[in-house]
Amino acid sequence: TEEAWRITLTTDLGKVEKWISIDKGMDFVIPAGETKISIIVRVNVPQKAKYDNYKGKIRLKAVPDRPIGEGGVSIALGTVIDVDLDVSENKIYDFKVINVKLQEIEAGYDRWFGFKKGIIKFVMNIENTGNVKVAPEKVILDIYNSATNEFLESLENYNKLAKVKSFTTDNVLAKFKTKLPAGGYRIIYKIYKGDEIVREEDAHLSILPPGTLPKEATPIWVWIILSAVVLGIVSFIFRKKILKLVKN
């Protein structure tokens, strides 16, 4: 917009009038230069609400935000948001995958008690559009050589996927173990909702040589457990010595 515009909202919502609130209020200004602005309409359904279908309208009117009578032609714009709510006891299990991210990882390596595999971290940004907590059923990665397109392996996440609360958007992490060496790989990932594949696309995975990435700090809970174990061992040793002295 070349000038500020004032937005005025009016509602015709009947029984659900008290359920609905609008984050920007019923009257606000879009500053000059803005190309779009979001309006969040929240619906707070009372626990004792009857199971039914509720309809209504929210009307928006936009006019230039300048004093009445000031020169220039004023144009009023308007639109209507239809409100159509179903209040039901049914559980709605549904989600959308907004985007995904494959993080760079280090290749696995040999150590004295065996081979430590590389850990692939696959982050999904999930929007829960249902009324119960949700998570993908599973995630599968089909991995190919980027140069030859040769199929190398198929992996399924080994960790339990965290659930996203209803009507919210959050990141969900899937982990995979691989023996693949350093290099570039083509990934075809499949995200499942039950038995249905809700997203299947190509992605690129970079595996770096061991020791390339900065080491993650050891979580504080690990230090607490180690400290408790050491203290327990020390206490046990001293207790045995004291008992031996007492017997002597």
Side-chain angles (χ1 to χ4, degrees), residues 88-111:
S88 169
E89 63 181 342
N90 296 331
K91 291 183 178 180
I92 302 172
Y93 181 92
D94 202 6
F95 65 86
K96 297 178 182 177
V97 182
I98 306 301
N99 54 54
V100 303
K101 181 181 180 181
L102 266 170
Q103 300 178 358
E104 287 184 330
I105 69 164
E106 292 183 357
Y109 57 90
D110 289 308
R111 53 185 181 181

Side-chain angles (χ1 to χ4, degrees), residues 3 43 58 69 74 78 100 107 132 148 157 202 211-212 232 235 237 241 247:
E3 60 182 334
V43 184
I58 300 174
S74 292
V100 303
V132 294
T148 64
N157 63 288
D202 281 26
T212 304
S235 299
I237 293 172
K241 287 186 176 181
K247 287 181 179 179

